[in-house]
Amino acid sequence: MTLDFKRILITGGAGFIGSHVVDHFCAVFPASEIIVLDKMTYAADFRHIEGPLGQGRVQLIVGDICDYNLCRGLVANCELVIHCAAESHVDRSFHSSVLFTQTNVLGTHTMMEACRTAGVPRIIHVSTDEVYGEVLTGTCDEDCSLNPTNPYSASKAAAEMVVNGYTHSFKLPVIMLRANNVYGVRQFPEKLIPRCCLSLARGDKIPLHGDGRNERHYLAAQDLAVALEILARRGVIHEVYNVGSMEHYANSEIARLICDAFGKSFDENVVFIPDRPFNDRRYAISWDKISSLGWAPQRRLAQDIPQVAAWYRENADRLYKLMKRTDSL
Ligand code: NAD
């Protein structure tokens, strides 16, 4: 079944992933009215969506997903809600864990309640593979149990439980997406790839947690946006879909790729720093289910890194000031 949507709400659309979703949805749903609800936290930037905003393709509402009346007003007559807004950085969750529960759990609850009372016919909740916890061998499919290990992933798992309650009790038409690590331009430089790029762009060394052997899979933000389009058009309501890639790299390998992109030596430009309180060694998911809907990742991290690195080089001064302002350095 192929659907078109008159009105689409994207929460967190001025953040990293949300802004790529905005770009893609503007292109593939040209007749849809697209609204972004974003609190404009440190991770958001008007510039991320300045093209669609300037063209009048998107309306930006600055507000909080914990504000029921605001959410209820915005989802009225929406035919699709893509719920991306969240506090998303694991390291921050060790210091401000209550904020993570507030935004990710209460905010999701508030948004689901607004969708329920407004009768929104299709909702996609964006979650993370981190809800499965550490996966030392093999892969997790969608039926694996949740075993989050840090305040961020715990808040995302708790948000999923709220959604679960709504799908069972109220038959709320939600589809759940669990994505592995995502890369691309516009990601706040507290996460590994942008942080490495910004460090080298500023002539600093790359700080690597622990021994640098922790491994992550990486999915391009554009590929995730396509997955969301496919789920919007033909995802099965109440199902969970893993969305991942075969691109797995140890943190030190990522640092090496980025050193190469900057023409700098790894040995002279990487410094190892103490690890997080707890750092999952590996996550791994299988995504056969969404493959059966015709989705597969198209992009390769190694090919994209030079272009991502160039974007951080061009934006280095602005991002460095932002990092200082948000105490992220
Ligand atoms: P991000 O931190 O770059 O962006 C989050 C956005 O949500 C920002 O624009 C922020 O202003 C907004 N926001 C935060 N609190 C809000 C609130 N109370 N009300 C309204 N807006 C609020 O995060 P991201 O990396 O783009 O992640 C987007 C989603 O994808 C999140 O749900 C995250 O858990 C999930 N996810 C991210 C990754 C990844 O690697 N980045 C991987 C898997 C899943």
Side-chain angles (χ1 to χ4, degrees):
M1 183 178 41
T2 297
L3 299 171
D4 273 315
F5 307 98
K6 279 207 195 82
R7 189 175 152 115
I8 301 172
L9 177 73
I10 301 173
T11 71
F16 164 50
I17 292 173
S19 66
H20 287 275
V21 178
V22 167
D23 284 345
H24 185 69
F25 275 39
C26 285
V28 296
F29 297 118
S32 302
E33 178 190 352
I34 298 179
I35 301 165
V36 167
L37 169 60
D38 201 299
K39 192 178 167 187
M40 304 305 292
T41 68
Y42 74 95
D45 200 312
F46 295 100
R47 275 168 276 227
H48 292 166
I49 51 172
E50 65 184 349
L53 277 175
Q55 293 151 11
R57 275 298 286 123
V58 165
Q59 192 190 349
L60 171 65
I61 308 293
V62 177
D64 194 329
I65 52 168
C66 297
D67 179 343
Y68 173 77
N69 290 331
L70 175 66
C71 293
R72 180 63 180 77
L74 290 176
V75 298
N77 304 320
C78 267
E79 292 177 339
L80 175 66
V81 170
I82 307 285
H83 180 39
C84 290
E87 287 294 336
S88 68
H89 186 44
V90 175
D91 283 7
R92 270 178 201 272
S93 79
F94 292 118
H95 307 294
S96 326
S97 59
V98 174
L99 174 64
F100 279 66
T101 296
Q102 195 177 322
T103 300
N104 299 353
V105 187
L106 183 59
T108 298
H109 192 159
T110 307
M111 184 49 69
M112 295 304 132
E113 176 64 6
C115 290
R116 180 185 77 82
T117 55
V120 176
R122 205 169 186 83
I123 303 146
I124 304 181
H125 174 69
V126 178
S127 190
T128 166
D129 67 346
E130 295 197 29
V131 294
Y132 295 119
E134 194 169 57
V135 182
L136 290 176
T137 55
T139 55
C140 279
D141 68 15
E142 291 81 354
D143 294 328
C144 284
S145 52
L146 307 192
N147 186 26
T149 57
N150 58 59
Y152 162 67
S153 55
S155 71
K156 294 296 287 186
E160 286 203 19
M161 293 301 105
V162 171
V163 173
N164 233 28
Y166 270 70
T167 61
H168 281 83
S169 300
F170 304 116
K171 309 290 175 249
L172 191 74
V174 189
I175 296 169
M176 188 92 72
L177 176 154
R178 295 184 186 137
N180 66 211
N181 263 33
V182 180
Y183 72 88
V185 300
R186 306 180 201 144
Q187 188 171 32
F188 195 76
E190 59 196 354
K191 310 233 168 84
L192 180 67
I193 291 179
R195 179 141 205 172
C196 291
C197 291
L198 188 62
S199 298
L200 294 186
R202 302 248 339 142
D204 298 332
K205 292 191 183 208
I206 292 175
L208 267 192
H209 279 304
D211 59 10
R213 281 164 53 195
N214 293 58
E215 189 183 297
R216 300 288 182 264
H217 284 71
Y218 288 92
L219 175 69
Q222 297 95 323
D223 280 336
L224 177 54
V226 175
L228 279 165
E229 178 204 347
I230 287 176
L231 294 185
R233 291 190 192 276
R234 48 181 188 273
V236 178
I237 295 289
H238 297 157
E239 291 292 324
V240 180
Y241 293 90
N242 286 343
V243 179
S245 82
M246 297 295 287
E247 303 279 290
H248 58 97
Y249 290 89
N251 291 353
S252 58
E253 292 174 318
I254 291 286
R256 197 174 289 280
L257 276 176
I258 295 170
C259 284
D260 290 348
F262 279 85
K264 297 195 174 187
S265 99
F266 177 90
D267 291 339
E268 288 169 18
N269 288 284
V270 171
V271 57
F272 290 89
I273 59 169
D275 211 347
R276 294 168 171 168
F278 183 80
N279 199 347
D280 292 315
R281 195 149 273 282
R282 176 180 182 268
Y283 303 113
I285 51 175
S286 62
W287 66 94
D288 296 347
K289 198 161 155 186
I290 193 168
S291 300
S292 69
L293 298 180
W295 179 86
Q298 302 296 320
R299 305 188 71 106
R300 305 298 305 267
L301 176 84
Q303 281 165 12
D304 284 344
I305 281 288
Q307 175 233 332
V308 172
W311 187 88
Y312 282 97
R313 199 186 284 119
E314 279 159 29
N315 290 278
D317 289 343
R318 174 174 74 80
L319 291 171
Y320 183 73
K321 282 185 198 133
L322 266 179
M323 291 281 280
K324 268 173 71 173
R325 209 180 306 146
T326 56
D327 284 335
S328 305
L329 286 169

